[in-house]
């Protein structure tokens, strides 16, 4: 079932989300609906607050064609072993813990909750993440590239942050009028 994606200005996007206490059929259905909604919107990540739920649940699916053209699926470390990134997609996780590291790089980001706005965001290049799965297992991931950026972006949603909060001061000034209009139209 497709879910309504909350837009910039909706207060649910600014709430620090509560930990998921139990995994039940309702949560599994929500995760499946979030994946369906994300695919329909041509996104690569979606956090529960974006669909109006104040819980620490995220879905991510980075298709191979989103990576550098002609490149094979990036290798990431999963539970201490090197594996192709495509082997863990889609990622569906609760109560994540992430530790960004490495030099920071600029990359143009957008968001399903901030339609038609993209801007450069500086973030660390790598992430170590602990991602509890719905089946009770835990993935320990060490990655770079688009997955590292997506993990940071989606986990920001769980803390009430949007990518527009992470842009430079000059970019904030440039975006101010557009964001004000978005907030009025929600």
């Amino acid at each position: 079932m497709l879910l309504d994606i909350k837009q910039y200005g909706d207060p649910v996007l600014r709430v620090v989300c509560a930990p998921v206490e139990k995994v039940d059929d309702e949560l599994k259905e929500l995760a499946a609906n979030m994946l369906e909604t994300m695919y329909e919107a041509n996104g690569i990540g979606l956090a529960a607050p974006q669909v109006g739920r104040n819980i620490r649940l995220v879905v991510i699916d980075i298709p191979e064609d989103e990576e550098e053209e002609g490149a094979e699926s990036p290798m990431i470390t999963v539970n201490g072993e090197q594996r192709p990134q495509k082997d863990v997609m889609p990622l569906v996780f609760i109560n994540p813990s992430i530790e960004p590291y490495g030099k920071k790089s600029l990359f143009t980001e957008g968001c399903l909750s901030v339609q038609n706005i993209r801007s450069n965001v500086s973030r660390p290049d790598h992430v170590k993440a602990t991602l509890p799965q719905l089946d009770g297992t835990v993935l320990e991931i060490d990655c770079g590239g688009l997955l590292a950026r997506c993990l940071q972006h989606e986990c920001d949603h769980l803390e009430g942050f949007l990518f527009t909060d992470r842009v430079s001061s000059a970019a904030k000034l440039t975006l101010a009028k557009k964001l004000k209009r978005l907030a009025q139209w929600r």
Side-chain angles (χ1 to χ4, degrees), residues 8-168:
Y8 184 88
D10 192 309
V12 73
L13 296 173
R14 296 303 190 169
V15 174
V16 176
C17 294
V20 171
E21 298 295 335
K22 70 174 187 172
V23 176
D24 56 16
D25 289 342
E26 183 182 330
L27 186 75
K28 290 176 183 175
E29 183 178 347
L30 175 60
N33 290 339
M34 286 173 60
L35 280 169
E36 183 181 350
T37 300
M38 179 188 73
Y39 295 140
E40 180 67 24
N42 294 314
I44 60 172
L46 191 65
Q50 292 180 271
V51 294
R53 298 293 302 273
N54 180 20
I55 58 172
R56 300 178 83 75
L57 169 66
V58 172
V59 299
I60 292 175
D61 193 354
I62 301 174
E64 286 187 80
D65 62 3
E66 290 288 327
E67 296 294 342
E68 292 180 28
E69 195 163 322
E72 292 183 24
S73 183
M75 297 299 285
I76 61 174
T77 303
V78 180
N79 296 340
E81 295 180 14
Q82 284 286 109
R83 293 178 51 191
Q85 179 175 292
K86 67 181 180 180
D87 287 0
V88 298
M89 293 296 153
L91 280 172
V92 177
F93 54 90
I94 57 173
N95 306 328
S97 170
I98 68 166
E99 185 181 324
Y101 70 96
K103 76 175 184 69
K104 289 186 172 187
S105 296
L106 282 177
F107 187 82
T108 303
E109 291 187 24
C111 181
L112 296 176
S113 292
V114 187
Q115 291 188 350
N116 302 319
I117 293 181
R118 297 178 64 77
S119 189
N120 284 333
V121 179
S122 179
R123 295 190 191 267
D125 287 338
H126 294 87
V127 167
K128 290 180 183 176
T130 302
L131 308 176
Q133 306 293 285
L134 299 186
D135 66 4
T137 62
V138 176
L139 292 182
E140 298 282 344
I141 292 181
D142 192 337
C143 63
L146 187 54
L147 179 55
R149 183 159 295 267
C150 191
L151 282 165
Q152 292 173 78
H153 178 110
E154 297 308 328
C155 288
D156 268 358
H157 279 296
L158 304 180
E159 300 299 329
F161 292 106
L162 299 172
F163 83 95
T164 53
D165 301 325
R166 305 274 188 216
V167 300
S168 70

